[in-house]
Amino acid sequence: MRRTVFNEDHEAFRETLRAFIEAEVVPVYDEWFAAGQAPRDFYYKLGELGIFGINVPEEYGGAGLDSHKFEAVLYEETARAGVQFGGSGVHVLLALPYIKMLATDEQKKRYLPKFVTGEEMWAIAMTEPGTGSDLAGMKSTAKLSEDGTHYVLNGAKTFITGGVHADRVIVCARTAAPTAEDRRHGISLFAVDTKSEGYSVGRKLDKLGLRTSDTAELAFVDVKVPVEDLLGEENKGFYYLGHNLASERWGIAFGAYAQAKAAVRFTKQYVQERTVFGKPVAHFQNTKFELAACQAEVDAAEAVADRATEALDAGELTPAEAASAKLFCTEVAHRVIDRCLQLHGGYGYMNEYPIARLYADNRVNRIYGGTSEIMKTIIAKDMGL
């Protein structure tokens, strides 16, 4: 089936990106994998390539586009090569929408030029050790100083992707207590400079997958955050977080579809080259049937992912539609990658093969950005159930 989601500009970007990955990432990726993170200077290369500035207005050094389709190409090409760009995905997919939506003109002038070049990498800190999906239960606090010049931030966060290399982190903290009517009231967002006194990075977490993405624990002890770094209005943070969840879940959905597509590609190549009982594994009927079934599921996920992309670019992707796309694409990827690993036999369990890394990387897709169970709850509510 012919796809219509991408045009010539997207395909030209794909060619450039594929060449960049082959030259700058593939030769050193095993080193990144062993180190558990991409090197900080790699992000400057992404900045030079223009990855960070695609959706940033031209006045701040970006390309001034308003589309997620270039991000979609990036998901497909990194999955195709069996690599990741460290924790940089959060920089663009998660942090940038908050800056564009909430930052004042003065803040954008301070933040965005360095954002585009990779000089200032961003992350977002929502999850706390005692809270996962229940963001309204967060305990971190930010109290306005008596002279009104800064907030004093205290608390801790965990599972913060990009947290090791981040230069600024959008931290969610309570500036007021929840009310009896609304537990979500009182949360605010701050663009915190990680060089601030009292800000510290704890453990770099040892994850099952996404090994090159630095994920950390953060702690704040009397961190002074200038009032000029409050994003949006005080106490409205929970509303802002909900507003951007659709784009985050789209990213997870599209990334999962891209992983499933890559898994079929890797497996097709493997079974054609691997010989068992005197013939290639691809010659066995079971192999053909399994890969055919996987391809059919990937085709369906591609259609769902493309439709969600078009809706997102048009500003029409609803929370329920984003939840549906995430649920479907991540479940498809789970099934497809598992079956593809099985066709690799024992070699599929070895990290030197991309299918093993895909298997581990894919597992978190059904957890972060809202678990599959949360997605079902959102969809059911939209159905009137």
Side-chain angles (χ1 to χ4, degrees):
M1 292 179 285
R2 187 175 67 86
R3 299 177 79 185
T4 59
V5 69
F6 299 124
N7 61 29
E8 293 180 358
D9 291 337
H10 302 122
E11 296 306 328
F13 175 67
R14 186 188 301 279
E15 292 181 13
T16 299
L17 186 59
R18 187 174 295 182
F20 173 82
I21 291 171
E22 289 298 321
E24 300 288 345
V25 182
V26 171
V28 294
Y29 195 71
D30 286 344
E31 297 174 19
W32 297 5
F33 189 85
Q37 62 186 30
R40 178 62 178 85
D41 61 5
F42 173 67
Y43 298 143
Y44 291 108
K45 294 181 181 180
L46 292 179
E48 292 174 2
L49 190 63
I51 296 293
F52 298 149
I54 292 172
N55 292 325
V56 173
E58 293 182 55
E59 61 190 293
Y60 305 113
L65 302 179
D66 189 19
S67 171
H68 288 77
K69 293 181 180 180
F70 292 94
E71 292 174 54
V73 172
L74 190 149
Y75 285 129
E76 289 186 333
E77 289 305 307
T78 51
R80 179 184 183 277
V83 301
Q84 300 161 3
F85 283 176
S88 64
V90 168
H91 184 68
V92 174
L93 180 64
L94 299 188
L96 183 57
Y98 289 102
I99 301 172
K100 292 176 69 175
M101 179 176 71
L102 302 176
T104 64
D105 289 341
E106 183 276 331
Q107 287 175 322
K108 289 177 181 177
K109 289 177 182 177
R110 283 195 289 125
Y111 300 152
L112 288 176
K114 293 180 181 179
F115 181 100
V116 169
T117 62
E119 182 180 347
E120 203 167 74
M121 294 299 297
W122 288 61
I124 184 165
M126 292 185 276
T127 305
E128 297 184 357
T131 62
S133 297
D134 182 21
L135 293 177
M138 68 176 62
K139 305 297 184 184
S140 295
T141 61
K143 297 181 178 180
L144 188 62
S145 62
E146 291 184 3
D147 62 7
T149 62
H150 63 273
Y151 291 85
V152 180
L153 175 65
N154 284 281
K157 301 288 181 178
T158 192
F159 305 148
I160 309 307
T161 302
V164 174
H165 285 320
D167 302 288
R168 273 195 188 269
V169 177
I170 299 174
V171 178
C172 313
R174 284 206 163 276
T175 44
T179 65
E181 296 78 21
D182 189 2
R183 293 177 63 242
R184 300 169 296 180
H185 171 75
I187 295 172
S188 301
L189 307 184
F190 301 90
V192 179
D193 187 337
T194 63
K195 297 185 293 296
S196 302
E197 184 177 352
Y199 180 104
S200 62
V201 178
R203 291 187 303 150
K204 180 169 73 68
L205 300 174
D206 185 16
K207 306 188 300 296
L208 169 67
L210 302 177
R211 301 289 298 183
T212 65
S213 171
D214 54 304
T215 302
E217 295 174 331
L218 307 179
F220 322 111
V221 179
D222 294 335
V223 177
K224 293 182 178 180
V225 183
V227 293
E228 293 82 7
D229 286 327
L230 171 70
L231 283 175
E233 295 183 40
E234 197 177 80
N235 299 328
K236 291 190 176 181
F238 198 95
Y239 164 77
Y240 299 141
L241 295 174
H243 185 273
N244 285 325
L245 278 175
S247 62
E248 177 183 355
R249 288 167 179 164
W250 164 82
I252 297 169
F254 204 99
Y257 140 70
Q259 289 176 326
K261 182 177 181 179
V264 172
R265 174 177 177 270
F266 292 138
T267 307
K268 178 183 175 182
Q269 180 179 0
Y270 176 82
V271 298
Q272 288 175 330
E273 296 174 352
R274 173 72 170 159
T275 300
V276 177
F277 302 123
K279 64 175 70 173
V281 175
H283 283 203
F284 293 94
Q285 185 182 65
N286 180 68
T287 303
K288 296 176 181 179
F289 281 8
E290 283 292 287
L291 278 179
C294 287
Q295 183 62 54
E297 289 219 73
V298 168
D299 286 343
E302 180 179 87
V304 170
D306 285 355
R307 185 180 70 174
T309 303
E310 295 284 17
L312 182 62
D313 269 13
E316 299 173 353
L317 185 65
T318 69
E321 289 169 344
S324 179
K326 180 182 184 296
L327 177 65
F328 183 78
C329 290
T330 58
E331 293 291 342
V332 164
H334 160 65
R335 293 191 296 269
V336 167
I337 295 171
D338 183 73
R339 294 164 85 173
C340 285
L341 187 149
Q342 187 73 16
L343 288 173
H344 280 71
Y347 290 104
Y349 208 63
M350 302 296 111
N351 273 326
E352 64 186 277
Y353 283 81
I355 193 66
R357 299 182 184 185
L358 267 182
Y359 185 86
D361 292 347
N362 169 73
R363 185 59 185 89
V364 76
N365 289 332
R366 292 181 288 148
I367 298 173
Y368 67 3
T371 64
S372 290
E373 292 73 22
I374 294 293
M375 298 303 101
K376 291 174 184 177
T377 300
I378 294 170
I379 297 165
K381 184 177 180 180
D382 186 67
M383 295 170 65
L385 299 175

